[in-house]
């Protein structure tokens, strides 16, 4: 759950961050209008530039270290990522408030916009996914990070929801029983995946991809998981599945990596499993702290998981 700092706490944090990273004096500091479900983000303007301050509110220390090292490594591989700033001692983290030790990390602010669903955008993102899946090596430590939406994690969530009794939980558990046997038995190619390739984790400028953000879910898993997840981000318009966008996404992907026959056959299954796994993640959080926005997202994801996808492209 996001913990939003008070105005005075945010300003105090900004001053200490500016001092640690030698960013000059604050001109403006405010929370970003769009926040995710886990981390708090603010825009910082100083005399030296514009930055994003991120407070990690849920990730354990080792997971944060993994993400920051991975971003640095991806940058050396030519991927459009935004490495964190580091201070004179090489540190990327700042912990200004000892009473609330969640770390803050500073990233350069990248100007641009969240993309709209267009064939060219879908094609570009398919190509980006293939670039990630075709990287020549795996960075150190990535093997230790499990997909937070893995079958094992999702089944653990399902077990915790069996006594919940809500209609959403019942729909989720029914789909778990239906889809899990097929997903568990899949032996498809694996490698580095982003894990959360959605429009709000990308920045475009004039239809050109400028940056891919938020690598905290990156791990080793089936490429098809990443592919299906990204298609849910870039192949829908107003909650309607768009075959033309899907065709363009897959065409872009296969400019860099060809799908194996088993992957092509299993794609409809993973297009149902990925929103189901996301729904489970949201259901667990919603069962602890009910939230209207999250309830709407759960309903949306379960509807997608109930869809039978035609992927004869």
């Amino acid at each position: 759950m996001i913990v939003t700092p008070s105005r005075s706490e945010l300003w105090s944090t900004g001053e200490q961050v500016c001092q640690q990273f030698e960013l000059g004096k604050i001109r403006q500091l405010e929370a970003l209008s769009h926040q995710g479900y886990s981390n708090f983000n603010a825009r910082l303007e100083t005399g030296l530039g514009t930055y994003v301050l991120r407070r990690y509110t849920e990730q354990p220390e080792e997971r944060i270290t993994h993400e920051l090292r991975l971003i640095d490594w991806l940058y050396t591989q030519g991927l459009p990522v935004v490495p964190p700033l580091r201070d004179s001692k090489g540190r990327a983290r700042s912990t200004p408030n000892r009473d609330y030790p969640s770390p803050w990390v500073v990233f350069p602010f990248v100007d641009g916009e969240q993309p709209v669903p267009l064939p060219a955008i879908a094609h570009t993102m398919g190509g980006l996914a293939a670039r990630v899946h075709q990287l020549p090596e795996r960075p150190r430590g990535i093997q230790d990070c499990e997909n937070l939406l893995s079958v094992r994690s999702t089944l653990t969530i399902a077990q915790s929801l069996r006594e919940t009794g809500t209609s959403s939980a019942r729909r989720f558990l029914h789909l778990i029983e239906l889809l899990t046997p097929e997903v568990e038995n899949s032996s498809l190619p694996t490698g580095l995946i982003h894990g959360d390739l959605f429009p709000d984790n990308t920045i475009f400028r004039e239809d050109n991809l400028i940056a891919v953000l938020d690598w905290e879910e990156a791990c080793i898993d089936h490429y098809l998981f990443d592919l299906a997840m990204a298609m849910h981000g870039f192949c829908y318009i107003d909650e309607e599945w768009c075959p033309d966008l899907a065709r363009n996404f897959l065409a872009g992907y296969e400019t860099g990596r060809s799908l194996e026959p088993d992957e092509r056959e299993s794609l409809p299954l993973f297009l149902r499993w990925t929103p189901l796994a996301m729904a489970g993640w949201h259901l667990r959080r919603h069962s602890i702290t009910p939230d209207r926005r999250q309830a709407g997202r759960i309903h949306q994801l379960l509807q997608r998981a109930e869809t039978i996808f035609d992927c004869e492209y």
Side-chain angles (χ1 to χ4, degrees):
M1 181 179 69
I2 292 178
V3 179
T4 303
S6 66
R7 179 65 183 169
S8 60
E9 181 190 352
L10 180 58
W11 194 268
S12 175
T13 295
E15 290 179 328
Q16 293 180 62
V17 165
C18 285
Q19 182 178 5
Q20 178 179 337
F21 292 91
E22 301 177 353
L23 301 179
K25 292 186 177 182
I26 299 175
R27 288 183 174 176
Q28 190 171 0
L29 177 59
E30 57 188 5
L32 292 180
S33 57
H34 175 76
Q35 301 284 343
Y37 290 96
S38 298
N39 304 313
F40 172 81
N41 297 282
R43 174 177 168 140
L44 167 68
E45 294 183 24
T46 76
L48 297 181
T50 306
Y51 311 91
V52 172
L53 297 186
R54 162 172 286 191
R55 178 160 70 179
Y56 288 83
T57 57
E58 294 188 0
Q59 297 284 31
E61 188 73 16
E62 61 273 13
R63 193 90 188 190
I64 299 171
T65 298
H66 150 72
E67 181 190 7
L68 300 181
R69 286 178 177 172
L70 176 62
I71 292 172
D72 286 338
W73 179 81
L74 290 167
Y75 185 76
T76 69
Q77 302 299 308
L79 270 291
V81 297
V82 184
L85 298 188
R86 296 185 181 272
D87 64 16
S88 59
K89 297 181 180 179
R91 298 173 300 185
R93 296 177 186 77
S94 179
T95 311
N97 188 345
R98 293 184 179 180
D99 295 329
Y100 193 84
S102 295
W104 294 77
V105 176
V106 189
F107 296 92
F109 180 84
V110 179
D111 192 29
E113 60 276 336
Q114 183 175 312
V116 296
L118 294 171
I121 298 294
H123 191 278
T124 294
M125 290 309 303
L128 182 280
R131 285 183 65 189
V132 174
H133 299 169
Q134 289 291 85
L135 286 170
E137 57 180 299
R138 297 178 181 180
R140 180 169 54 88
I142 187 69
Q143 290 85 351
D144 300 329
C145 293
E146 182 183 8
N147 187 349
L148 296 179
L149 300 180
S150 68
V151 174
R152 188 186 70 84
S153 297
T154 303
L155 290 179
T156 299
I157 290 172
Q159 189 62 34
S160 72
L161 294 172
R162 293 198 180 279
E163 304 301 323
T164 303
T166 65
S167 60
S168 293
R170 289 194 297 271
R171 289 169 68 192
F172 171 74
L173 292 171
H174 169 72
L175 288 164
I176 283 289
E177 293 178 4
L178 180 67
L179 300 180
T180 298
E182 295 182 75
V183 176
E184 279 187 313
N185 293 330
S186 61
S187 55
L188 300 167
T190 63
L192 176 65
I193 68 169
H194 179 282
D196 195 19
L197 273 178
F198 267 66
D200 55 1
N201 284 334
T202 63
I203 297 175
F204 278 73
R205 195 180 303 145
E206 296 180 354
D207 295 338
N208 295 310
L209 177 62
I210 304 301
V212 179
L213 311 174
D214 292 355
W215 291 82
E216 60 188 313
E217 309 299 343
C219 60
I220 301 298
D221 204 338
H222 298 302
Y223 294 135
L224 204 56
F225 179 95
D226 217 22
L227 194 66
M229 182 74 81
M231 291 177 76
H232 276 283
F234 292 92
C235 301
Y236 271 83
I237 298 177
D238 296 330
E239 278 309 294
E240 182 176 344
W241 173 254
C242 297
D244 184 52
L245 293 178
R247 280 191 290 269
N248 277 275
F249 187 98
L250 291 173
Y253 186 83
E254 295 205 282
T255 61
R257 177 181 179 269
S258 296
L259 286 173
E260 296 185 1
D262 286 350
E263 290 179 300
R264 192 172 293 278
E265 181 181 348
S266 297
L267 179 56
L269 169 64
F270 275 76
L271 283 169
R272 299 186 70 187
W273 175 260
T274 47
L276 182 62
M278 284 190 284
W281 185 88
H282 284 283
L283 273 165
R284 179 181 60 82
R285 296 167 65 92
H286 185 68
S287 68
I288 299 169
T289 308
D291 177 85
R292 181 176 297 180
R293 174 191 172 204
Q294 203 152 41
R297 182 61 172 157
I298 291 165
H299 176 70
Q300 181 186 75
L301 290 167
L302 289 174
Q303 282 190 315
R304 293 189 181 194
E306 290 164 345
T307 300
I308 305 299
F309 291 90
D310 177 9
C311 295
E312 295 298 327
Y313 303 137

